[in-house]
Amino acid sequence: MPVLRSLGRAASQLLQSSGCGCGVSLVPVRAIGVSPRQVASDASFHSVTFSESDHPRVLITGGLGQLGVGLAKLLRKRFGKNNVILSDIRKPADNVFYSGPFIFADILDYKNLREIVVNNRITWLFHYSALLSAVGEANVPLARAVNITGLHNVLDIAAEHNLRLFVPSTIGAFGPTSPRDPTPDLCIQRPRTIYGVSKVHAELMGEYYHYRYGLDFRCLRYPGIISADSQPGGGTTDYAVQIFHDAIKTGKFKCYLRPDTRLPMMYLDDCLKATLEIMEAPAEALTMRTYNISAMSFTPEELAQEVQKYVPELQMTYNVDQVRQAIADSWPMNFDDSNARRDWGWKHDYDLPELVTTMFSYLGSDSRIAQAN
């Protein structure tokens, strides 16, 4: 394959002359040592019992976010503790640090990230480093660097070293002109947040690298993810996590979305299960590189009614945040995930009643909940 040396030199000179003061080492276009028709067959692991030598060697970037720790726990149980490396730029809690391999990894440092992949013989990479919707809108330059420049580094390294790459997408990849009820896999997107734009970019770049270089790229569009294991992280759907904490602590919750704002949601365990299933699915079963997945859709009012079965005196008030409301109004109300269910057998386990029961069982036995039960 032709090597883009002249373009790489030109990009390097341009970056050096631009006086970029962001403290990030931007990397020019690199030659990718992968044939356009080559498929990463040596990284093709299916849903079977693995021998010890056949386990994938896994790296998770952005691993201290909402999903990374839970994913590491699931993968370590399946593939072995030492075969799954969690990474982030933050200091992990003691329980996370001692639960398995952890390493500092800055996705904007191409050289260091490449060394990690090579030195640890990585074969699967889960790329979770990203700034979420509301946080990204508050710091667009940082979101652009992390969500787009970081992705480019990961794509190049994954293609060069024949990795199986998973990059999550989101309901935020759709916009106000997208069909909302339901939203199919393939339709107009046009998001209006830097988070959504970066996710559409990731979907298209991953698909391009698959067809151009044979990269085994896999992507799921997550709905709002609800978990008892982490605090809300600045996303538009995080009200559906905060309500449980506030109901237990104070019996009061102030929601920043309108009571009738319907969004697709999913419990964490279903999300992690779907992520492992798409990575283990035989390549020949996949008819696309990016799939919608969903489990349920509900409004803040419907969630509050279910929560009140456990905390009857919950006082629900609304103080609409116009920024987050505008974001939510541009997102799908229901996901059509029929392609995932057909191609690789996706099936969720948690609907709204099971979700609420599970959240309260994890978050503690408050006296109000005990009395209700």
Side-chain angles (χ1 to χ4, degrees):
M1 179 173 48
V3 180
L4 304 179
R5 296 187 186 277
S6 60
L7 180 55
R9 284 195 298 269
S12 179
Q13 291 168 359
L14 176 61
L15 291 172
Q16 290 172 8
S17 64
S18 65
C20 177
C22 59
V24 174
S25 177
L26 301 179
V27 183
V29 177
R30 301 174 189 87
I32 309 297
V34 183
S35 167
R37 298 181 180 179
Q38 182 178 349
V39 177
S41 58
D42 62 339
S44 182
F45 301 94
H46 303 328
S47 299
V48 296
T49 301
F50 296 97
S51 69
E52 186 64 29
S53 61
D54 288 335
H55 283 323
R57 293 277 297 169
V58 179
L59 175 67
I60 304 172
T61 67
L64 297 183
Q66 184 183 25
L67 300 176
V69 174
L71 180 63
K73 182 178 180 181
L74 176 66
L75 297 178
R76 284 167 179 165
K77 182 177 180 180
R78 180 146 178 77
F79 301 132
K81 175 180 176 179
N82 293 324
N83 285 317
V84 180
I85 300 174
L86 199 62
S87 74
D88 209 304
I89 60 172
R90 295 181 290 149
K91 182 180 179 181
D94 287 348
N95 65 308
V96 174
F97 184 78
Y98 292 110
S99 65
F102 180 89
I103 193 169
F104 175 92
D106 182 352
I107 60 165
L108 297 178
D109 186 341
Y110 174 82
K111 182 176 182 294
N112 176 251
L113 191 61
R114 193 166 183 254
E115 288 174 352
I116 291 171
V117 168
V118 171
N119 291 343
N120 293 281
R121 299 167 44 248
I122 298 300
T123 56
W124 285 15
L125 199 160
F126 293 82
H127 179 53
Y128 278 104
S129 297
L131 265 64
L132 301 182
S133 55
V135 177
E137 289 306 290
N139 194 338
V140 172
L142 181 60
R144 188 175 63 234
V146 173
N147 295 9
I148 295 179
T149 303
L151 169 77
H152 292 177
N153 289 344
V154 167
L155 284 170
D156 283 358
I157 291 168
E160 180 181 1
H161 297 285
N162 223 20
L163 309 185
R164 177 167 295 185
L165 174 63
F166 177 84
V167 178
S169 189
T170 168
I171 56 174
F174 296 96
T177 54
S178 305
R180 299 185 65 211
D181 190 15
T183 303
D185 284 302
L186 299 176
C187 64
I188 190 170
Q189 292 182 254
R190 297 294 189 275
R192 292 183 178 175
T193 66
I194 185 60
Y195 177 58
V197 168
S198 69
K199 287 303 183 180
V200 174
H201 180 77
E203 293 175 13
L204 294 177
M205 287 295 289
E207 186 171 328
Y208 171 76
Y209 269 59
H210 170 69
Y211 290 111
R212 180 67 176 86
Y213 303 120
L215 174 64
D216 192 354
F217 172 85
R218 302 177 183 213
C219 178
L220 295 177
R221 291 193 189 105
Y222 291 154
I225 304 301
I226 301 173
S227 166
D229 295 331
S230 61
Q231 294 294 321
T236 300
T237 60
D238 279 347
Y239 84 87
V241 177
Q242 189 66 52
I243 187 174
F244 292 97
H245 294 276
D246 289 1
I248 290 174
K249 292 177 182 178
T250 67
K252 300 178 181 179
F253 178 63
K254 184 181 293 184
C255 184
Y256 51 74
L257 296 180
R258 291 193 315 267
D260 62 345
T261 306
R262 182 173 301 279
L263 293 169
M265 300 283 189
M266 177 178 287
Y267 183 59
L268 176 67
D269 286 7
D270 274 340
C271 176
L272 299 180
K273 181 182 79 165
T275 302
L276 178 56
E277 286 180 357
I278 187 66
M279 285 295 276
E280 289 189 320
E284 59 272 15
L286 304 180
T287 60
M288 55 187 64
R289 290 286 126 184
T290 299
Y291 289 89
N292 293 343
I293 55 165
S294 191
M296 65 193 95
S297 290
F298 55 75
T299 67
E301 185 175 37
E302 290 169 349
L303 177 58
Q305 291 171 358
E306 199 67 33
V307 169
Q308 285 169 341
K309 294 178 181 179
Y310 293 83
V311 185
E313 69 275 26
L314 172 67
Q315 298 178 24
M316 183 84 160
T317 58
Y318 297 88
N319 183 19
V320 176
D321 178 339
Q322 295 302 325
V323 173
R324 292 186 182 186
Q325 187 64 57
I327 292 172
D329 288 342
S330 72
W331 284 357
M333 299 168 64
N334 286 286
F335 255 167
D336 177 0
D337 61 358
S338 56
N339 287 320
R341 295 176 186 269
R342 180 199 66 212
D343 287 0
W344 45 275
W346 161 240
K347 183 179 180 181
H348 70 279
D349 294 325
Y350 292 83
D351 288 312
L352 181 56
E354 293 84 2
L355 163 71
V356 173
T357 299
T358 303
M359 287 292 288
F360 278 125
S361 70
Y362 273 104
L363 288 176
S365 55
D366 183 87
S367 59
R368 291 188 298 269
I369 299 171
Q371 290 171 6
N373 287 337

